[in-house]
Structure formats: structure tokens, C-alpha cells
Amino acid sequence: MIRAEHHKLTISWKVAAAFLCLSSAVVAQTTELQDLHLNTVPRTAAETARIATATAPTTDFDAAQKFEENSGGAATVRAAPDANAFSQPSGNISFENELTFKVGNGLFRKLWVSSPSSTLASDGLGPLYNARSCQRCHLKDGRGHPPENHEDNAISMFLRVSIPGKPEDAIPQIEGYLASLPEPAYGSQLQDFSVAGHKAEYRLQIDYTETAITLSGGETASLRVPDYTAAELGYGPLHPQAMISPRVAPQMIGLGLLEAIPAKDILALADPDDADSDGISGRANIVWSVEYDQPMLGRFGHKAGNPTIREQSASAFVGDIGISNPLFPAGAGECTDLQADCMAAPHGDKDVRAFEIDAEGLDLVTFYSRNLGVPVRRDVGDPQILRGKKVFYATGCTACHQPSYVTHRLVDQPEQSFQLIWPYTDMLLHDMGAVLADNRPEARATGNEWRTPPLWGIGLTKQVSGHTYFLHDGRARSLLEAVLWHGGEARSQRDAVIDMPPEDRTALIRFLESL
């Protein structure tokens, strides 16, 4: 067995931090490169002024803002009363595109089988994998959860793994890139399932210790501190410097709208040196795009490690299911050279598809993922929710959870084009402190940093996913616990929540539940 805390990154974060700031030239170049993959129409000066007015921070908490209930703009969908609330197409989608969405949904839900198989369109699973379909991790397009006990499987959660790289392993085009390499025997993530005749890589074991938190007004809370074990390793011990990072599957709604936010609007929020002295120093993660063969702004994943929905989908296919595709063509998926039997096993890319999922299939899944609609907010004019919104602003939560944007004008994506949206994220990396650190870098993200997650739809988690587990590893069992886990840059906000009157704390949670 190997425990997470025994294998910390050996490089000095103070030394690494000296190389983390992008120069203005690099930022400008990244902005240009990032938006080239979108078919955009430039904004006029009048539109820019309108956008600045529409997205300006509010100072009026007596009533809801105009259009605030439509979190996804015209793409917003009704708040379905059942577990399908996250599985609806964009509210402004055409009839023809809704048909494309449904075909993509079929591929998202498709159960893959091992090779050889008479089902030539669905073979190629594994040989090592975490799930047999996208839907198995993102059940009902919602967020995953950690195993409930030692007997429960980790179908919607896994451990990423890597070892520290050397300076020559860095990507020279990305300033401040923190080099890491796949673990020699296990690759970049651990798979807990395998096809017949092969051993799984491990079993995820989590043990929790409770710690009490005293809140104002005589209230208390309890946080569960996780201890991760990669148990029953199937291919020998992990490298002595192995760094592991637990990840639960995130919710899927609104991804296309997040992708359509202009890169310059996100980069304008970055403050790596905390020039405004507010204690918040968000940074952009700049990653290497396999699809475009260039540096791009990272947007997706818990550390913003992927630049586009298509690349995120392709990496999940090969890593989570073992399905080769045009961006990641390895037929053996995540098998490594030290797993000889796995590398030699039959796979499903020897037919007319060329890959186990071809470009057309990958595009359909991308279209589906891009168009999962954000549900309308509930009770935006409720006095307690308005009070909670005021607390949210006054406490400084909007320093990271940026309320609103206007998306690009897009020629060929009418659903995402020029929408006023309310995702409550700045899409940037923030140091969340040692308590949430995984001590594993990803591109420019340090072991203490995480991307600010969007908050839209968070109040429907119980309805959709059947639980209220939050954060990157599901350790928080409620929204209040998620807030109390904040540290690092968000420490003062967390302390303010601990110290505020109980009525304000309750109103804050009600506001979050309305999103």
C-alpha cells in the first residue's frame, strides 16, 4: 500500500513560484492563440461598453438583478424536478441540433466492450479502465462521489499519479511550466477495473478522521480529513517519488458557455502578484494543446489542465475508458511499457474506424458536452437569498467566484453566442492552502492550486446526484463544509464565515443553494 502523504513533491515551491508569472507578451500571445479555434466575430466598441455595464458588480441587494435567474443566458433550461435536471439540451437549441445532441448523448451513455468482439462499433474497452462509459462517471451528468465504504467501488473517482520531472522535461514555450512525468509502471492515472485476464491496477481506499470546527453563535461543524491509500497494487510498488491526486468527476452543465468566454476576459482577472492587495492572486494555467499543437489557456478539469471540451473529452476516453481517438491514438489506453500483457492485448482500432472512437464520434460527444443546459435559478427574489447574496459579496467571495460574463459572438455555435451568463468562477488557479493541497503539479498549477469551480447548478446536486459531496475529492459533505475547507488565499473569507452571525451564515448557504 502507499499513502498520499508519504510521497510529496520534492521540488521547492518557493523556487517554482519565482517562475510562475506570465509576461505581458506571453499573455497577449496566449489570448490570441486561445481564441483562434473559435469562429468569432469581433466586438464593437458599443458592445464592449454594454458588456461592461451588464457585468459590473452590483451594489443593490434589495432585488434580483436583471436576467440573473437565467444563469446560462438564452441557453438556460427549466429546473426539472427530478434527476434529469442536468441532462437537458441548451434552451435555445434548434430542432436539428437537438437531434445531434441526442446522438451525442447515446455515445456518452454507450457501454464499451472488450476486444475481440462481434460488436465492432463498441469494442476496445481498456484493457485497464475506470468506467465503461462516460455516463458511469458523470451519472445523470452530475458530479461524482468518493466510495461510501471500503467495500464500495470508486466508479466516479480515481487517483491521478505522476513523478517529478527534470528541467529538460519542461515545455519551453510555457513560462513557469512545472515538469512532471507519468509514473513508470502505472501511467498518469490509476485504473481500478480491467478486462478479463488482466489485473486491475489498484483499489482506492479512503479513511477519514473527523475534526471539529467551532462556529459563532454556539454552532459547530465537523470536517472529515481524508487519508488516501492506493491499495492492492497490481503491478508492483509505485515509484518512490510518486505523487497522487484524488479526483471526482465534475458536473457537466454549461461547459460550452465556459469555453465561449473570451480568453482576454479571463486573463484580465489574473492578479499573480496581488497588485490590488486583496489577498487574492489568481493565475491562468497555460497548457500544451495536443489538438492545436500550441500553448493555450487551460479551462477544464480541477486544475484547468485541458484547454477545450474536445481535448478534455478525448483525454477522458483514453484515460478513463481506454478508448483510442484521433487526439490520443494509443489502442491500449493507459497501459504502460512495463505492463507487457496489457500492451499486447487485442484492441478495437483495426477496423474501418481507424480509432476506437473516430473523429465523428468524438465530435458528437463534444457537441453533447458543450450543450448540456444550465438550469434556471430558483427564488432569486427571496429576501433571505438576497441577504445571502449580499453576504457573498461583502465577504469577498466574488474575488474568485466572478459572477458574470458575456460570451463571444460565435458564427457556428448559436447556442453559446453572445450570452450573458452567471457561472460564478474566474476560471483561474488559486492557492487553497495546505489543507486542500494534493502536492502534485499540473502544467503551471502548483500542488496547492485549484481552478475556481463554477457554482451554477450547485444547489441541485442532491436532486441530480443523490448526495451533497463537494470539492475536488468529495470530502465536504455539505456546502458549509466546502466553505470551511477553504484556506490559503480564501482563508480570510473562511474565517469571516466562521465568525459571522448564524443568520448571515444560513442566508449565505441559501444563496448558494439557489444557484
Side-chain angles (χ1 to χ4, degrees):
M1 295 192 297
I2 178 168
R3 297 187 182 277
E5 73 271 20
H6 291 171
H7 295 267
K8 306 297 187 186
L9 182 60
T10 56
I11 69 172
S12 166
W13 294 116
K14 290 184 179 180
V15 172
F19 299 95
L20 292 179
C21 297
L22 281 175
S23 68
S24 58
V26 173
V27 169
Q29 180 190 38
T30 303
T31 302
E32 179 184 1
L33 293 175
Q34 166 67 16
D35 288 343
L36 283 177
H37 82 291
L38 296 172
N39 192 0
T40 66
V41 176
R43 292 172 176 173
T44 66
E47 286 175 342
T48 300
R50 284 170 50 205
I51 290 167
T53 299
T55 58
T58 186
T59 57
D60 180 6
F61 301 98
D62 293 329
Q65 291 170 261
K66 193 174 182 179
F67 309 122
E68 183 180 9
E69 69 276 11
N70 292 326
S71 298
T76 305
V77 298
R78 68 185 182 90
D82 55 24
N84 294 310
F86 288 175
S87 300
Q88 304 171 80
S90 300
N92 56 351
I93 199 168
S94 67
F95 177 77
E96 294 77 12
N97 281 350
E98 186 171 355
L99 292 178
T100 303
F101 176 87
K102 289 179 177 178
V103 175
N105 184 22
L107 287 171
F108 193 82
R109 298 166 63 91
K110 176 180 182 176
L111 292 175
W112 296 85
V113 299
S114 59
S115 299
S117 170
S118 59
T119 311
L120 294 180
S122 301
D123 67 330
L125 176 69
L128 303 172
Y129 61 96
N130 295 106
R132 289 182 59 198
S133 74
C134 307
Q135 183 77 197
R136 288 287 179 92
C137 288
H138 303 277
L139 186 62
K140 293 293 184 180
D141 305 295
R143 68 182 68 235
H145 63 87
E148 297 288 351
N149 51 57
H150 288 178
E151 286 70 45
D152 190 15
N153 66 48
I155 191 66
S156 58
M157 182 179 187
F158 64 80
L159 296 178
R160 289 214 180 278
V161 61
S162 57
I163 62 173
K166 298 177 181 178
E168 58 265 31
D169 298 317
I171 297 177
Q173 297 92 329
I174 300 178
E175 187 176 346
Y177 189 89
L178 301 173
S180 63
L181 300 171
E183 204 282 340
Y186 291 91
S188 60
Q189 70 187 60
L190 296 174
Q191 283 86 18
D192 51 353
F193 292 101
S194 60
V195 301
H198 296 268
K199 295 181 292 184
E201 289 188 323
Y202 84 124
R203 177 179 61 81
L204 174 59
Q205 179 178 316
I206 312 175
D207 297 288
Y208 295 103
T209 303
E210 295 285 339
T211 181
I213 302 291
T214 301
L215 309 175
S216 64
E219 297 181 352
T220 61
S222 182
L223 303 182
R224 57 176 187 174
V225 182
D227 179 31
Y228 296 98
T229 302
E232 301 172 21
L233 289 164
Y235 297 87
L238 288 170
H239 188 281
Q241 290 184 289
M243 304 172 288
I244 63 175
S245 178
R247 308 287 177 89
V248 296
Q251 64 186 28
M252 297 286 294
I253 58 173
L255 299 184
L257 295 168
L258 296 176
E259 187 176 50
I261 299 171
K264 67 178 181 180
D265 291 354
I266 296 172
L267 293 170
L269 299 172
D271 185 17
D273 298 318
D274 192 19
D276 59 5
S277 302
D278 67 350
I280 306 298
S281 53
R283 299 191 309 110
N285 199 3
I286 307 302
V287 303
W288 187 263
S289 170
V290 173
E291 183 175 10
Y292 293 96
D293 195 32
Q294 64 185 33
M296 292 179 71
L297 173 65
R299 296 182 188 238
F300 302 107
H302 291 293
K303 286 180 179 276
N306 267 308
T308 67
I309 298 170
R310 191 170 190 265
E311 194 158 330
Q312 174 75 26
S313 300
S315 62
F317 265 117
V318 74
D320 301 348
I321 315 177
I323 298 299
S324 66
N325 58 75
L327 298 187
F328 300 97
E334 264 275 296
C335 298
T336 69
D337 290 340
L338 296 181
Q339 297 168 333
D341 291 343
C342 188
M343 291 293 289
H347 49 85
D349 57 2
K350 298 299 185 182
D351 53 37
V352 294
R353 293 172 297 168
F355 305 103
E356 291 163 345
I357 186 168
D358 59 15
E360 182 180 9
L362 181 59
D363 288 344
L364 286 165
V365 171
T366 300
F367 186 87
Y368 172 76
S369 301
R370 181 181 293 140
N371 280 287
L372 283 163
V374 181
V376 67
R377 279 190 57 195
R378 286 81 53 210
D379 304 320
V380 293
D382 180 278
Q384 187 181 40
I385 288 174
L386 289 171
R387 177 179 179 177
K389 179 182 175 182
K390 183 176 182 179
V391 172
F392 187 83
Y393 275 67
T395 306
C397 302
T398 57
C400 297
H401 292 282
Q402 174 76 12
S404 61
Y405 300 87
V406 172
T407 60
H408 271 300
R409 281 199 184 277
L410 299 170
V411 174
D412 50 3
Q413 291 177 220
E415 299 86 1
Q416 290 82 42
S417 180
F418 208 60
Q419 299 299 321
L420 172 61
I421 62 173
W422 305 76
Y424 286 91
T425 174
D426 61 7
M427 303 289 283
L428 298 173
L429 300 171
H430 293 276
D431 183 340
M432 297 301 291
V435 292
L436 285 181
D438 66 350
N439 300 294
R440 178 184 176 273
E442 187 170 337
R444 297 181 67 245
T446 71
N448 279 34
E449 288 181 313
W450 301 95
R451 183 203 66 161
T452 305
L455 297 181
W456 52 15
I458 199 168
L460 295 173
T461 299
K462 176 70 173 179
Q463 176 181 312
V464 171
S465 302
H467 64 78
T468 54
Y469 298 148
F470 301 106
L471 301 179
H472 67 279
D473 57 358
R475 69 177 68 187
R477 293 162 295 191
S478 68
L479 290 172
L480 177 60
E481 285 189 27
V483 172
L484 296 177
W485 272 109
H486 283 48
E489 295 176 39
R491 182 184 181 93
S492 62
Q493 284 76 17
R494 179 205 63 190
D495 291 346
V497 172
I498 290 174
D499 295 336
M500 67 178 50
E503 296 79 12
D504 282 352
R505 201 161 45 237
T506 299
L508 174 64
I509 300 303
R510 280 275 334 263
F511 166 70
L512 295 175
E513 290 172 345
S514 78
L515 296 178

